[in-house]
Amino acid sequence: MALLEIKNLSFQVDTTKILDDFSLSVEAGEVHALLGTNGTGKSTLAYLIAGCEGYRPTSGTILFAGKAIQTSKIHERAQLGITMAWQEPVRFEGISVAQYLTLKQRDLDPAPYLAMVGLEPGRYLARMVDRSLSGGERKRIELASILALHPRLAIFDEPDSGIDMLSIQDIINVIAACKEHGSAVLLITHREEIALIADQASQICRGKVVCSGTPAEVAAYYKSRQCSGCATEVCVD
Ligand code: ADP
Ligand code: MG
Ligand code: MG
């Protein structure tokens, strides 16, 4: 049984179909890259899986460890082990980095998780998670918090979008650490060099999967601009 199984998922806003009969499976411990250009429905899919407010499918099912979750609340899905890295790093006023990393498990030693994202624990644990941190530092701390959660499924929505904040190698290291912990990863990106670190990959176009296979196969298809989902349109940014 797959850890995450999305079956015939559609999501429509007014008359616009954003996801259209979308199906995808992610096995436990697998890194699955989802490639697609801007506006193809990647973030919408992430919000539907995480259970964000206002994101309930028009039709179809989302099974997590065999349980239908498409109508569950966001915190229920979080309790099942689904977590998401947002495109914009979060900011919490009034708590320290150490407190932030141990919100779920008070007795956890947060230091190794900071080290994994390239931050020296001694310099950051007592800092507040606020404006005094740079965007890149907040992004790293957020990634450390995901590692510290040991989720069953981590969804990364374009971790490369703030590429001025993190290098591609930083992102690869975090994904590798997640996988080492046994987490499955849904890695949303529009850069084929990032997709190549995955175990499996799929390309989404206009809310549908148009290609699935090894990351190399899907990256080649993506680069070829021959996407069957949009026929003559150029399906690469
Ligand atoms: P991606 O993450 O792949 O860039 P999104 O999932 O953010 O794409 O958006 C997919 C498409 O759906 C876009 O055309 C976007 O404008 C549209 N869209 C997303 N959310 C809404 C909404 N709440 N209402 C109307 N259109 C939306
Ligand atoms: Mg986008
Ligand atoms: Mg997006």
Side-chain angles (χ1 to χ4, degrees):
M1 182 179 63
L3 178 68
L4 175 70
E5 195 171 356
I6 300 168
K7 288 202 252 184
N8 308 109
L9 191 71
S10 294
F11 180 68
Q12 191 166 330
V13 177
D14 303 322
T15 56
T16 310
K17 274 192 171 170
I18 300 173
L19 289 174
D20 183 12
D21 203 26
F22 181 96
S23 298
L24 180 85
S25 289
V26 180
E27 301 296 323
E30 172 184 300
V31 178
H32 195 113
L34 186 68
L35 268 168
T37 57
N38 274 325
T40 48
K42 303 181 300 299
S43 292
T44 303
L45 177 71
Y47 304 151
L48 283 162
I49 298 169
C52 297
E53 185 85 34
Y55 287 85
R56 294 295 178 269
T58 314
S59 59
T61 50
I62 303 174
L63 298 175
F64 189 72
K67 180 180 153 56
I69 58 158
Q70 68 275 357
T71 58
S72 304
K73 296 201 167 66
I74 190 165
H75 71 270
E76 293 167 336
R77 301 189 209 195
Q79 281 161 1
L80 289 174
I82 300 176
T83 192
M84 178 152 162
W86 304 96
Q87 270 183 344
E88 265 295 298
V90 290
R91 203 148 52 195
F92 283 111
E93 308 288 332
I95 68 168
S96 70
V97 171
Q99 285 168 328
Y100 179 55
L101 295 181
T102 55
L103 281 176
K104 186 177 157 223
Q105 196 188 331
R106 291 271 171 82
D107 60 351
L108 184 83
D109 174 10
Y113 299 97
L114 281 179
M116 274 179 217
V117 296
L119 297 180
E120 203 184 303
R123 289 185 54 204
Y124 287 93
L125 284 171
R127 294 275 302 270
M128 302 304 277
V129 186
D130 63 12
R131 264 165 248 268
S132 71
L133 294 165
S134 73
E137 288 168 335
R138 275 188 286 121
K139 187 85 195 164
R140 283 171 199 276
I141 288 162
E142 195 203 355
L143 294 175
S145 81
I146 288 173
L147 292 172
L149 277 171
H150 290 257
R152 292 173 82 187
L153 174 69
I155 305 169
F156 291 89
D157 189 2
E158 295 195 25
D160 42 278
S161 66
I163 205 69
D164 50 321
M165 296 185 194
L166 295 179
S167 71
I168 289 190
Q169 192 56 49
D170 290 328
I171 293 163
I172 291 172
N173 292 347
V174 168
I175 305 293
C178 259
K179 189 178 157 75
E180 210 164 292
H181 292 168
S183 301
V185 175
L186 182 63
L187 175 59
I188 296 174
T189 183
H190 50 194
R191 299 170 75 112
E192 65 265 17
E193 71 268 39
I194 292 196
L196 288 174
I197 68 172
D199 302 304
Q200 289 293 318
S202 300
Q203 182 179 338
I204 178 173
C205 179
R206 293 188 178 175
K208 268 184 187 303
V209 172
V210 292
C211 178
S212 287
T214 66
E217 284 162 359
V218 176
Y221 186 80
Y222 185 64
K223 269 204 301 208
S224 76
R225 306 179 175 206
Q226 297 293 316
C227 168
S228 61
C230 55
T232 56
E233 273 180 52
V234 175
C235 194
V236 166
D237 293 321

